[in-house]
Amino acid sequence: MKILITTDLFTTDTNGVVTSVKNLYDEMKKRGHDVRILTISDTSRSRKEGDIYYIRSVSLDLIYPNVRMPVSYHHRLIKELIDWTPDIIHSQCELFSFQFALHIAKVTGAPIVHTYHTMYEQYITYVIPSERIGKLIVRAISRNRLRKVERVVVPTGKVEDVLVKYGIRQGISVVPSGIDLEQHKIRLTEDERKQKKRDLGISDDSIVLLSLGRLGTEKNVDELIRYFAKASEEREDLVFLIVGDGPAKSDLEYLCKELEISDKVIFTGMVEPSKVHEYYQLGDIFVSASTSETQGLTYIEAAANGLPLLCRKDPCLKGVIEQGENGFAYNNEDDFYNFLFKMISSKAWRKIAGKCSEELADNFGKRGFARSIEQIYISVLEKESVGG
């Protein structure tokens, strides 16, 4: 099967879309398919690197950090993909690269399967001050885009519910995005773990709360910092390790200064993807206050690394947190403190909970994900064949 994946994002940055696309590409290649990726270049020049086609673009940093817009939809590289004649197109983003998918589908007749990754209502205030108007625009654009595809894939029932509210009620398949768990099964030795903690200025007897991911306002890391500040008044051995980068980082650092906890909060910035598992293993408890996740890949990665989880309650946590077994989903500030102090009071419980997390994470491997997506491709192509 010739599979073309279109995406706005395919870089060295670590985020949910890039991870999902890389895993889909790798697994489909292993299954014997001919797979190519069409994406947006991070420069003003187009290029081809193996199966990856990059189309030149311009920066839109003034609107949103690290966003780029292609300047051509009829480049020779796109013509090359048209001549290759894909059997199916799997689009991953609703914005710029979706136009690539539409154009190639129109010329070749290939059907489009689309994965809806992002809860745009959580991000819209970055570009439109009015939340109400922004949500109306998101719904209108989503309906317009998705009615042009043969099948919509969503990572969780949470996203399916949102799309149903938008008026999209047919052709939705729930398939959790697969994760390459191999890296997250590699364990640091206890000596390595202690040394890496010392390199960051963390003492051996500290209890480390870990947040890992993009630092955007929609992630609500400021909530975690405020909760941590209060908790650290009672437990001086608490440290908050924040791994990642993003537009909210400077504001979060300033908040730590205001709360006079800068000596207890460590910002690492972006880390190499190949080292991410090492940073997870520096934590004793993974924490998140985000409600913007479609699936929460970092939650699953944290679980795979053997961490108990303390996260704000959200539908995307289904199957990831078993309340009281491998962590807790909290509703409010009081919940957070009650659960946190319960978790830090027993090292033995955290060890048992960590093992439970590892077992739950195994349900989200990338091989099962690829098999499910392959079956969707086959059913779409069979429908096309019958319809033709």
Side-chain angles (χ1 to χ4, degrees):
M1 194 184 310
K2 295 180 182 178
I3 304 165
L4 174 63
I5 302 172
T6 62
T7 174
D8 288 6
L9 305 167
F10 196 75
T11 67
T12 55
D13 292 342
T14 301
N15 63 44
V17 175
V18 174
T19 298
S20 181
V21 170
K22 284 181 176 177
N23 289 338
L24 180 62
Y25 171 82
D26 290 342
E27 289 302 310
M28 288 301 177
K29 292 285 284 188
K30 288 178 184 176
R31 298 179 75 80
H33 300 296
D34 187 358
V35 189
R36 302 187 186 184
I37 297 173
L38 176 59
T39 188
I40 298 170
S41 174
D42 55 357
T43 72
S44 59
R45 300 189 65 178
S46 299
R47 66 188 189 280
K48 177 184 174 184
E49 297 176 1
D51 292 330
I52 320 301
Y53 294 66
Y54 295 90
I55 303 301
R56 61 189 180 183
S57 66
V58 294
S59 172
L60 294 181
D61 272 353
L62 292 176
I63 297 176
Y64 191 83
N66 301 320
V67 171
R68 300 187 67 90
M69 179 179 73
V71 295
S72 174
Y73 285 93
H74 300 279
H75 193 273
R76 62 175 177 79
L77 291 179
I78 297 176
K79 176 65 164 56
E80 182 178 323
L81 288 170
I82 290 172
D83 292 342
W84 172 61
T85 60
D87 295 308
I88 198 156
I89 301 169
H90 192 160
S91 65
Q92 305 283 332
C93 298
E94 295 77 24
L95 299 177
F96 306 116
S97 60
F98 191 82
Q99 296 302 123
F100 294 152
L102 288 178
H103 174 62
I104 296 171
K106 183 178 180 180
V107 177
T108 64
I112 301 174
V113 171
H114 180 80
T115 295
Y116 196 91
H117 289 279
T118 306
M119 303 287 281
Y120 290 102
E121 291 186 4
Q122 301 282 344
Y123 297 81
I124 195 65
T125 52
Y126 279 106
V127 293
I128 300 173
S130 170
E131 184 176 353
R132 185 181 66 84
I133 294 174
K135 287 183 176 180
L136 289 173
I137 292 173
V138 165
R139 294 179 185 193
I141 292 175
S142 296
R143 284 196 300 267
N144 176 268
R145 291 288 197 261
L146 298 185
R147 73 180 182 214
K148 298 174 182 176
V149 307
E150 292 300 318
R151 185 75 60 86
V152 180
V153 177
V154 295
T156 60
K158 171 185 175 179
V159 186
E160 181 182 25
D161 291 343
V162 169
L163 295 186
V164 169
K165 289 178 182 177
Y166 290 176
I168 300 153
R169 295 182 171 85
Q170 294 180 336
I172 301 177
S173 298
V174 180
V175 182
S177 294
I179 294 178
D180 185 352
L181 297 175
E182 295 308 309
Q183 177 195 87
H184 301 291
K185 292 181 179 180
I186 301 170
R187 293 291 179 262
L188 295 174
T189 67
E190 188 57 30
D191 286 343
E192 289 172 334
R193 183 172 181 266
K194 286 181 177 179
Q195 186 56 56
K196 287 188 72 68
K197 287 174 70 175
R198 289 169 188 162
D199 291 343
L200 291 168
I202 302 172
S203 64
D204 293 347
D205 58 352
S206 294
I207 296 176
V208 180
L209 307 189
L210 172 76
S211 170
L212 189 148
R214 183 180 171 282
L215 299 181
T217 56
E218 72 284 350
K219 302 297 184 182
N220 295 330
V221 179
D222 59 320
E223 175 179 295
L224 294 174
I225 288 174
R226 294 181 192 280
Y227 289 178
F228 171 81
K230 186 174 177 179
S232 64
E233 292 175 2
E234 295 190 36
R235 291 289 299 250
E236 293 186 356
D237 56 349
L238 289 179
V239 172
F240 193 5
L241 181 61
I242 300 176
V243 180
D245 207 344
K249 183 183 176 186
S250 59
D251 289 340
L252 296 173
E253 290 175 325
Y254 183 76
L255 176 60
C256 291
K257 291 179 182 178
E258 278 192 320
L259 296 173
E260 299 181 348
I261 56 171
S262 295
D263 60 327
K264 298 180 179 181
V265 181
I266 299 168
F267 290 85
T268 68
M270 189 69 71
V271 300
E272 294 180 32
S274 63
K275 302 288 186 182
V276 165
H277 67 288
E278 297 179 4
Y279 285 86
Y280 277 117
Q281 291 170 42
L282 301 184
D284 294 292
I285 300 169
F286 178 82
V287 293
S288 175
S290 176
T291 57
S292 68
E293 311 303 319
T294 54
Q295 183 177 354
L297 298 182
T298 57
Y299 305 167
I300 301 167
E301 290 177 350
N305 279 280
L307 271 68
L309 313 178
L310 178 56
C311 304
R312 179 166 279 283
K313 190 173 184 179
D314 189 80
C316 77
L317 293 172
K318 183 178 180 181
V320 181
I321 290 183
E322 292 294 336
Q323 196 79 345
E325 299 294 323
N326 73 315
F328 297 90
Y330 71 90
N331 285 300
N332 51 48
E333 186 174 1
D334 287 341
D335 274 357
F336 181 89
Y337 295 127
N338 289 336
F339 295 145
L340 175 63
F341 288 117
K342 184 178 293 187
M343 296 170 81
I344 63 179
S345 67
S346 173
K347 186 175 182 179
W349 180 89
R350 293 199 301 274
K351 186 173 182 179
I352 294 170
K355 291 296 183 184
C356 181
S357 280
E358 291 179 38
E359 292 172 5
L360 288 169
D362 282 338
N363 296 324
F364 296 89
K366 64 179 183 176
R367 289 174 188 166
F369 163 65
R371 283 195 297 269
S372 297
I373 295 295
E374 184 181 57
Q375 287 304 308
I376 288 173
Y377 294 164
I378 291 170
S379 68
V380 168
L381 290 172
E382 286 178 348
K383 178 183 174 183
E384 289 283 306
S385 177
V386 171

